[in-house]
Amino acid sequence: MTKLNWGMIGGGEGSQIGPAHRLGAQADGRFAFVAGALDHRAEEGRAYAQRLGIEAGRAYGDWKEMLEGERGRADRIDLVTVATPNATHFEITKSFLEAGFNVLCEKPMTMTVEEGEDIVRVAEKTGRICAVNYCYSAYPMVRQARAMVRNGEIGKVRLVVTNFSHGHHGDATDADNPRVRWRYDPRMAGVSGQFADCGIHALHMASFVCDDEVETLSADFASTIASRELEDDAMVNFRMAGGTVGRLWTSSVAIGRQHGFDIQIFGETGGLRWASEQPNQLIYTPVGGRTQIIEKGEGGLCEEATRLSRVSIAHPEGFPLAVANIYCDLADAISGAARDGLPGAEAGVRSMAAVHTAVASARQNGAWMDARPPMFR
């Protein structure tokens, strides 16, 4: 198998997400890491890229240098990952798409709905892939849950309840830590704090598993630490196009919760539950029947769950391999075998529309509002 060429912008030394991308992209031998602009400090970025094995000529000082350097190469990158601060995602992603490169962008894809719609149009015009790293949707048992919903195994979905809540920003004495403070500063994070950071993962998961889209929502935001301008806790109620009722809680001050991302889907004939802290298991309860544990790696799973499992039953596959599954789907898509589980630019702009709608709703005491981007109304 010929490896595809891959490059990365951001995700430098000390980055939280950079290692997950490097592990994920190279886990299955589908991509070769050949180019990078890994740090806003040019020389540090070049040096780190070379320590990771990138040749000096493709260890770039910034993304613009990387774009120009790769544009004219016969062996140019097939995919670039954008893992820079949120406010830079739009300009970098759009520039690489317009130059004919496929892009995987960290979430949020953009800071505004208008920017998100622009990315959708550019991707359509250029015919390039623009994916967003909603990697939790790539866990094998999440794909199993989606397949069961699609196959009608729990009947029509009535209710979905999801949350992404942790307590790692709950210490008020640590509120001025620069690694924490920026998330609640609108000058750096945008219009939303916790909902834009973690809540959109939960909202995307609800849409993904239910195979449906959010139409309207009502939100309540709270800043429980006085120095924070943006919310650190949010409750969002939503309604989906197919009639499903949704409940979402996201928080960064839930002390005692470590990761706290889970989803429950309640249908007419059964229910499902998946939690990121026990990702190998999907809990299934048929109406009037016993609760069952469906294990990753066992027989009889859907093709997607089987395809994206690498190790045998009872052996855990963690977060980097969920990211790796996104790269597997990207490699297939670049090679012409599109996977419908790959989160694209449309998912990115829907998330941004939900963020701005939730902010507006919270400011109007939870008023119900249309959460769809204008281009999808």
Side-chain angles (χ1 to χ4, degrees):
M1 182 185 298
T2 301
K3 290 186 179 183
L4 298 167
N5 287 331
W6 172 62
M8 188 174 190
I9 302 169
E13 192 166 17
S15 164
Q16 181 180 15
I17 198 64
H21 279 286
R22 288 188 287 275
L23 288 167
Q26 299 172 89
D28 299 284
R30 306 289 299 274
F31 290 95
F33 188 23
V34 300
L38 304 183
D39 200 299
H40 68 280
R41 301 164 299 176
E43 293 311 313
E44 284 84 348
R46 288 192 180 99
Y48 186 52
Q50 290 177 70
R51 290 201 300 275
L52 293 175
I54 294 175
E55 64 180 58
R58 301 179 84 172
Y60 299 102
D62 60 42
W63 70 266
K64 292 181 180 178
E65 181 185 340
M66 181 169 165
L67 178 60
E68 291 309 309
E70 292 297 311
R71 191 197 301 264
R73 295 184 67 106
D75 61 346
R76 62 189 249 164
I77 52 175
D78 298 290
L79 173 71
V80 61
T81 293
V82 179
T84 54
N86 296 354
T88 66
H89 289 180
F90 170 69
E91 182 182 13
I92 299 173
T93 297
K94 182 178 180 181
S95 296
F96 274 83
L97 286 171
E98 289 179 332
F101 293 93
N102 300 301
V103 179
L104 171 61
C105 185
E106 266 299 330
K107 60 86 199 165
M109 184 177 75
T110 62
M111 298 290 280
T112 70
V113 179
E114 293 76 16
E115 289 174 347
E117 292 188 330
D118 196 7
I119 292 293
V120 171
R121 295 188 184 102
V122 170
E124 290 175 348
K125 180 179 179 180
T126 61
R128 298 296 91 188
I129 296 165
C130 180
V132 184
N133 191 34
Y134 287 118
C135 54
Y136 298 100
S137 66
Y139 275 100
M141 300 316 290
V142 172
R143 298 287 176 97
Q144 175 68 23
R146 188 188 200 204
M148 292 177 70
V149 170
R150 282 181 160 183
N151 293 338
E153 293 181 52
I154 63 169
K156 180 178 172 57
V157 177
R158 294 168 170 163
L159 175 67
V160 57
V161 179
T162 184
N163 84 86
F164 197 156
S165 51
H166 65 83
H168 300 301
H169 301 162
D171 183 356
T173 65
D174 194 43
D176 285 332
N177 180 336
R179 293 177 64 89
V180 174
R181 186 179 63 238
W182 76 267
R183 298 175 184 273
Y184 307 98
D185 183 344
R187 290 170 290 278
M188 290 183 278
V191 298
S192 172
Q194 178 62 15
F195 185 64
D197 188 24
C198 294
I200 58 173
H201 271 300
L203 195 70
H204 174 263
M205 181 72 83
S207 293
F208 184 83
V209 175
C210 294
D211 201 23
D212 203 353
E213 299 296 346
V214 175
E215 281 198 338
T216 60
L217 63 76
S218 165
D220 179 42
F221 283 8
S223 299
T224 66
I225 293 178
S227 62
R228 292 175 176 166
E229 294 184 59
L230 299 176
E231 85 287 351
D232 52 23
D233 187 275
M235 181 68 74
V236 179
N237 294 311
F238 58 92
R239 302 295 174 101
M240 306 185 87
T244 298
V245 175
R247 314 293 188 203
L248 184 156
W249 172 49
T250 185
S251 182
S252 62
V253 294
I255 295 173
R257 296 183 70 95
Q258 297 303 316
H259 194 256
F261 185 15
D262 61 50
I263 184 167
Q264 294 178 274
I265 308 99
F266 304 103
E268 294 175 332
T269 62
L272 297 166
R273 180 180 184 273
W274 178 85
S276 66
E277 293 178 27
Q278 296 85 35
N280 283 5
Q281 298 181 336
L282 178 65
I283 311 302
Y284 167 54
T285 306
V287 64
R290 293 180 176 178
T291 295
Q292 305 169 30
I293 299 175
I294 304 173
E295 292 276 359
K296 182 200 70 67
E298 66 185 17
L301 300 182
C302 73
E303 187 273 334
E304 283 285 282
T306 301
R307 178 177 67 87
L308 296 175
S309 296
R310 291 170 183 77
V311 295
S312 61
I313 192 168
H315 292 83
E317 292 185 33
F319 181 79
L321 289 184
V323 176
N325 288 339
I326 293 289
Y327 281 96
C328 282
D329 283 353
L330 276 164
D332 286 344
I334 292 169
S335 301
R339 302 287 183 180
D340 77 347
L342 182 64
E346 289 190 7
V349 72
R350 286 184 185 277
S351 294
M352 191 46 52
V355 167
H356 282 269
T357 304
V359 170
S361 172
R363 288 173 178 168
Q364 296 187 37
N365 298 315
W368 281 89
M369 297 182 174
D370 194 327
R372 296 170 295 175
M375 69 186 314
F376 295 137
R377 294 182 183 178

